[in-house]
Amino acid sequence: MADKAAAQEFDILILGGGSGGYAAALRSVELGFSVGLIEKGKLGGTCLHNGCIPTKALLHSAEIAENAKTASKYGINATFDSIDMTAVNSYKDNIIAGKFRGLQGLIKSKGITVIEGEGKLTSEKTIEVNGETYTGKNIILATGSYSRSLPGLEIGGKVITSDQALKMDTVPKSAVILGGGVIGVEFASVWNSFGVDVTIVEGLPSLVPNEDAAIIKQLERAYKKRGIKFSTGIFFDNVQQNDDGVVVTLADGKKFEADLLLVAVGRGPVTANLGYEEAGLTMDRGFVITNERLHTGVGNVYAVGDIVPGLQLAHRGFQQGIFVAEEIAGLKPVVVDDANIPKVTYCEPEIASVGLTEAKAKDKLGAENVEIQEYNLAGNGKTSILGSSGLIKMVREKDGPIVGVHMIGARIGEQIGEAQLIVNWEAYPEDIASLIHAHPTQNEALGEAAMALAGKPLHG
C-alpha cells in the first residue's frame, strides 16, 4: 500500500494534457519536480487533434487547390479536377499521428507519469481519477475548451461545429458559417478553395472584429473577390433542417439555404462537473478566475490556458504552462501578458497581429499621441512573386515605441516573429529602420514600414 500511495503522490499534478498541460509537465520535470499528468483523451488536446494542426493541414490542401487553379498564371500547365477528401483526410491524419507519437515519446522519455481517465478536483491537493485519488503538492488545472453553440441552437444532423467539420469525408456544395471570427473565416477559406458556395453570418459589424480596421477592410475586400459571401451586423435567429439541408434565418427575417450550417461562435471552458466550485475556486461564466500569476487563490492550485479568461490560443496556454512551472520553482518568471501575445489567422490572405490596434491605442494613449504607418505590400517584390497583395500597419506612441503591428497578405503569418519582438521589446521605429532585412522577402516590408514611421520612407 505504501508503494501505491507513493506512486500516486507528485510534486506537481496536472489535470489536462493539452498545450498548457503538457508544456507545464515538460518544464516541471526539467526543474526537478515529479509530475503526474492526467488526460481523459489524447495527449496534445484540442490543438493537436481537433484544432490548430488539422485545420492548418486543411488550409494547406486548400492552398494547393488554389495553386492548381491558377497554375497557368505562373507558366505551369496543370488542371484542377476535384477534391479527394479521403486523401485529404489521410494527409491530415498522418500529420496528427506523427506529432502525437512524437509527443508521447517525449513525455515518456522525461519520466512523466501519464494517468489516463477523467479527473475531478476533490480538494486543493487531490484529484480523483477512475476511483483512485492522486495527490499533488501543487495542482495545475488545464482542462481546455470545447466548441460552443448559442442558447437553443442544438448541434446535430446538418448543424455542425469544427469538430465534425474536420472529419467530413465529402465536400458540401454549399455552407453557411455562423461566426466571422478566426474559426469561421478559416473554414470559409478552405471550403471556398474546395469549391463550396460559402456564406458567413456575423452579428457584429465586421468579419474578424478584434482586428485593426485596416486589416478588416482588406480581408473583406479579398473575400468578396474570392466569391465568399458574408452578412454582418445582423444576428442569427434560428435554423431549420430539412431533407435538402438547412434554412438559416436572421433577426431581420433574411434567409439563407445551404447543405449545412457550421457553428463557429467561439469556444467555452471545460470546467463543468470537475469539482472546481466545490474546491472553492472563483468562477465566472465557467472560467476559472486567477490573479496575474495564474494562482486561483486556493492552496497551491493554478490554472492555465483556455479555462482562464483571455485569448484562447494554444501558444498562450503553452507559455502559461511554462510560467506556472517556473513560478512554483520560485524563479519569478515574467507575467504572460495577453496584450502582446501574437495572433495569426490562417485564412487566405493570412492575418497576423500583435499589440494594440489603432482604435485601442487611441483609447489608451489619446488620439493626439498615436501615429500610424501603412505599407502597401503591392510594393514588395516577394508579395508580387506570390501573386498576392496586402498591408502592414504599424501603430506608434508619438515620439515613443511601436505598440502594435498588424499585417495581412499571403503567408504573412511567418513575419509575426519579428513583429512580436518589436512590440514586446518596445522598439522605436528608428531601431527597426537601422536593421538589415533580407531582399526579396516580405520581412523587408516591416523594415520599410518602420523607416516610413521614423520619417525616412524609402519608396514613399
Side-chain angles (χ1 to χ4, degrees), residues 37 88 90 118 156 202 306 339 351 364:
L37 181 59
V88 169
S90 177
E118 185 165 0
E202 171 56 60
D306 287 359
I351 299 169
K364 182 178 180 179

Side-chain angles (χ1 to χ4, degrees), residues 39-59:
E39 173 55 52
K40 68 177 181 179
K42 293 182 177 181
L43 291 175
T46 294
C47 178
L48 177 54
H49 300 284
N50 296 297
C52 320
I53 300 302
T55 307
K56 278 55 186 178
L58 289 184
L59 282 155

Side-chain angles (χ1 to χ4, degrees), residues 67-79 385:
N67 287 342
K69 293 175 185 178
T70 60
S72 61
K73 178 180 177 181
Y74 305 100
I76 306 299
N77 295 321
T79 58
I385 290 167

Side-chain angles (χ1 to χ4, degrees), residues 104-112:
Q104 286 178 305
L106 179 61
I107 293 292
K108 183 178 180 180
S109 71
K110 296 294 185 179
I112 296 166

Side-chain angles (χ1 to χ4, degrees), residues 111-129:
I112 296 166
T113 300
V114 177
I115 304 159
E116 297 181 357
E118 185 165 0
K120 183 175 183 179
L121 186 67
T122 48
S123 78
E124 63 186 44
K125 291 186 177 180
T126 58
I127 297 176
E128 183 179 293
V129 187

Side-chain angles (χ1 to χ4, degrees), residues 248-259:
V248 177
T249 304
L250 303 190
D252 66 351
K254 190 173 184 179
K255 297 180 185 295
F256 299 95
E257 296 183 11
D259 289 349

Side-chain angles (χ1 to χ4, degrees), residues 31 52-53 57 121 186 225 237 247 362-364 416:
L31 294 168
C52 320
I53 300 302
L121 186 67
E186 286 188 350
K225 187 175 180 180
D237 184 74
V247 179
K362 287 179 176 178
D363 286 342
K364 182 178 180 179
I416 197 63

